[in-house]
């Protein structure tokens, strides 16, 4: 079950599986973000290129206004996907403790 | 061996994931391969649904256990030839301004799979990949 929403710290919490069937839902939410944004990915179990595309489009839009996405609490599997994709060079990525 | 057909819809991804989980469990395939298999399956399925629009045929997915892993095939019927193994390289070192989401899916498949093979015959497009624990 994919979920995206604000957590108690004012960060965007993403959990579940961000696949091609859920990418539109994620994009709709992130399209409302207008400033620097921390994405808490602690509960994210899976991401495909559709989900990566959502992050990339949002980050590029925000960087246009000197803002951006920061990806935190990234588990090993998701971190591997970011590394394979070169996303670790495009985003601030912080691994889960 | 599992053979199952899926409608050409992203909504089928959930069903594919459930069936894959069941197959892994039934055949005691190492769970460390699940992420790679799920990713390659989704990317190849989505690619067929998105680009092979000239057919309404369901997509056939086959799985079989192999030594230390799994072999997965996807077959699309009555379509033009498209070989995912010839997908363009992605420059993952390119700056943000030059990065686009396009092409990333097949690039990841080629990175994740331990082997990948494409065949096209009688307007059937079939892609087969394997993942093994020893291939990690």
């Amino acid at each position: 079950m994919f979920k995206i929403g604000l957590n108690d710290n004012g960060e965007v919490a993403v959990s579940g599986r961000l696949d091609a069937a859920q990418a539109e839902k994620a994009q709709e939410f992130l399209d409302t973000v207008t400033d620097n944004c921390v994405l808490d990915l602690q509960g994210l179990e899976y991401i495909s290129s559709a989900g990566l595309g959502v992050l990339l489009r949002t980050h590029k839009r925000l960087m246009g206004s000197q803002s951006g996405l920061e990806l935190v609490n990234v588990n090993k599997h998701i971190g591997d996907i970011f590394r394979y994709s070169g996303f670790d060079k495009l985003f601030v990525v912080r691994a889960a403790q | 061996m599992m053979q199952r057909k899926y409608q050409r819809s992203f909504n089928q991804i959930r069903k594919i994931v459930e069936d894959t989980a069941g197959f892994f469990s039934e055949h005691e395939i190492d769970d460390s391969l699940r992420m790679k298999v799920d990713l390659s399956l989704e990317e190849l399925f989505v690619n067929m649904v998105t680009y092979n629009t000239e057919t309404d045929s369901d997509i056939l997915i086959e799985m079989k256990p192999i030594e230390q892993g799994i072999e997965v095939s996807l077959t699309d019927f009555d379509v033009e030839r498209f070989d995912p193994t010839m997908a363009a390289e992605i420059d993952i070192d390119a700056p943000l301004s030059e990065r686009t989401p396009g092409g990333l899916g097949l690039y990841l498949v080629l990175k994740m799979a331990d082997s990948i093979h494409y065949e096209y015959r009688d307007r059937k497009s079939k892609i087969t990949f394997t993942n093994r624990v020893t291939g990690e």
Side-chain angles (χ1 to χ4, degrees), chain B residues 49-101:
Chain B
V49 171
T50 303
Y51 296 107
N52 296 344
T53 55
E54 69 272 32
T55 179
D56 294 327
S57 298
D58 291 347
I59 293 168
L60 174 66
I61 294 179
E62 299 167 280
M63 297 182 196
K64 68 175 182 184
I66 58 176
E67 189 178 357
Q68 297 289 309
I70 184 170
E71 179 182 289
V72 181
S73 297
L74 297 92
T75 305
D76 207 2
F77 299 89
D78 195 23
V79 294
E80 299 296 325
R81 179 187 176 89
F82 175 73
D83 184 352
T85 67
M86 302 299 283
E89 274 282 315
I90 299 287
D91 182 5
I92 63 168
D93 296 317
L96 182 65
S97 60
E98 295 175 15
R99 292 293 302 266
T100 62

Side-chain angles (χ1 to χ4, degrees), chain A residues 11 13-14 16 19-20 25 28 37 49 71 77 80 85-87 90:
Chain A
E11 301 164 345
V14 184
D19 58 25
K25 179 180 178 180
E28 282 178 5
C37 178
S49 70
L71 313 175
H77 291 308
D80 285 345
S85 310
F87 274 35
L90 303 176

Side-chain angles (χ1 to χ4, degrees), chain A residues 20-69:
Chain A
Q22 303 298 332
E24 189 176 338
K25 179 180 178 180
Q27 190 70 68
E28 282 178 5
F29 186 91
L30 291 174
D31 281 348
T32 65
V33 173
T34 56
D35 206 343
N36 280 322
C37 178
V38 176
L39 256 60
D40 183 349
L41 304 184
Q42 186 167 30
L44 187 66
E45 301 164 10
Y46 170 88
I47 190 168
S48 66
S49 70
L52 295 173
V54 170
L55 300 183
L56 186 60
R57 274 189 289 272
T58 304
H59 193 49
K60 287 184 82 164
R61 176 176 62 79
L62 292 174
M63 289 293 278
S65 54
Q66 310 305 313
S67 305
L69 294 179

Side-chain angles (χ1 to χ4, degrees), chain A residues 71 79-93, chain B residues 92-93 99:
Chain A
L71 313 175
D80 285 345
I81 302 288
F82 287 162
R83 216 164 20 257
Y84 283 131
S85 310
F87 274 35
D88 56 332
K89 303 184 186 77
L90 303 176
F91 295 80
V92 173
V93 178
Chain B
I92 63 168
D93 296 317
R99 292 293 302 266

